């Protein structure tokens, strides 16, 4: 197991790992569990980002590693959420709360065209499932040639935004995708 990185980097990583399984409950599919496990294994074989590695030479890693992660409360402030909605997207709105698709806050008041799917992985029709799972299995390089953050994302994934529009099918209105992060439980105590 490679662990090159400062103690701040290691503490940062431990903080992320500590939150992975205590996040707001979501029923992970077998595929998502496997994807997370694959991401964890890839991370164990990688060095943490450090200044001597080319992709991170000019980045301020101290700012990254000083960030402390806290458990999300899962509470949605409707005023804040709705303030981000665009009027033109009243018909099609895909909302994720703390990384998980929310039927409650999403809006598809105009029915999606036949064959189209917009949502999360939980209700993904079988005809799209294999392609989506295959894409989730890929660990992409970033602009600087690193795969670290892609692997980190994979190891902590809780859901995925799926927009599947078959060839020849068109949405009649724009689609807005909103990712909402609830305040931390620690901040709510104060």
């Amino acid at each position: 197991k490679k662990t090159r990185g400062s103690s701040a980097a290691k503490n940062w990583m431990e903080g992320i790992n500590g939150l992975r399984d205590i996040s707001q409950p979501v029923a992970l599919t077998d595929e998502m569990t496997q994807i997370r496990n694959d991401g964890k294994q890839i991370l164990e074989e990688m060095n943490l980002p450090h200044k001597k590695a080319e992709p991170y030479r000019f980045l301020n890693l101290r700012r990254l590693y000083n960030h402390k992660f806290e458990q999300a409360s899962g509470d949605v402030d409707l005023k804040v959420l709705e303030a981000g909605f665009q009027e033109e997207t009243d018909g099609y709105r895909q909302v994720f709360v703390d990384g998980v698709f929310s039927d409650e806050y999403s809006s598809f008041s105009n029915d999606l065209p036949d064959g189209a799917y917009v949502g999360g992985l939980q209700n993904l029709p079988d005809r799209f499932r294999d392609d989506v799972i295959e894409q989730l299995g890929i660990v992409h390089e970033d602009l600087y040639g690193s795969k670290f953050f892609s692997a980190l994302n994979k190891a902590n994934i809780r859901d995925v935004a799926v927009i599947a529009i078959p060839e020849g099918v068109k949405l009649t209105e724009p689609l807005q995708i909103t990712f909402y992060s609830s305040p931390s439980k620690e901040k709510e105590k104060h």
Side-chain angles (χ1 to χ4, degrees), residues 8 11-12 15 19 63-70 187:
N11 290 339
W12 174 79
L19 289 176
R63 287 185 65 202
L64 175 70
Y65 291 142
N66 285 337
H67 183 81
K68 303 293 182 228
F69 292 92
E70 297 172 354
K187 289 184 178 157

Side-chain angles (χ1 to χ4, degrees), residues 73-159:
S73 65
D75 297 332
V76 175
D77 182 334
L78 225 51
K79 286 183 182 179
V80 172
L81 178 63
E82 290 174 350
F85 290 162
Q86 303 294 315
E87 197 173 304
E88 311 79 56
T89 64
D90 283 344
Y92 301 130
R93 190 173 293 133
Q94 183 183 34
V95 177
F96 286 75
V97 176
D98 298 329
V100 179
F101 176 72
S102 170
D103 273 325
E104 181 179 355
Y105 299 112
S106 295
S107 169
F108 302 105
S109 57
N110 296 333
D111 289 338
L112 288 169
D114 283 343
Y117 175 78
V118 176
L121 193 63
Q122 294 292 329
N123 297 316
L124 181 66
D126 289 338
R127 67 184 178 277
F128 301 122
R129 188 168 292 280
D130 288 343
D131 289 338
V132 170
I133 296 301
E134 181 181 332
Q135 288 300 312
L136 290 173
I138 299 170
V139 177
H140 297 277
E141 280 188 3
D142 63 24
L143 181 64
Y144 305 103
S146 170
K147 292 184 177 184
F148 179 81
F149 290 101
S150 179
L152 183 63
N153 220 10
K154 187 174 178 171
N156 291 285
I157 196 167
R158 299 180 64 220
D159 201 353

Side-chain angles (χ1 to χ4, degrees), residues 12-26 28 32-33 35-41 43-44 69-71 148 151-158:
W12 174 79
M13 193 67 197
E14 286 173 12
I16 291 172
N17 290 337
L19 289 176
R20 178 183 298 131
D21 297 320
I22 64 167
S23 308
Q24 296 300 315
V26 60
L28 294 175
M32 289 292 267
T33 300
I35 288 165
R36 286 173 66 134
N37 289 339
D38 291 349
K40 291 177 205 177
Q41 183 176 349
L43 281 175
E44 287 175 2
F69 292 92
E70 297 172 354
Q71 184 178 3
F148 179 81
L152 183 63
N153 220 10
K154 187 174 178 171
N156 291 285
I157 196 167
R158 299 180 64 220

Side-chain angles (χ1 to χ4, degrees), residues 20 25 44 55 64 74 116 119 121 147 149 167 173 177 180 183 185 188-189:
R20 178 183 298 131
E44 287 175 2
L64 175 70
L121 193 63
K147 292 184 177 184
F149 290 101
E167 190 174 332
E173 297 180 42
I177 305 167
Y180 178 90
K185 288 188 174 187
E188 287 191 340
K189 291 179 186 176

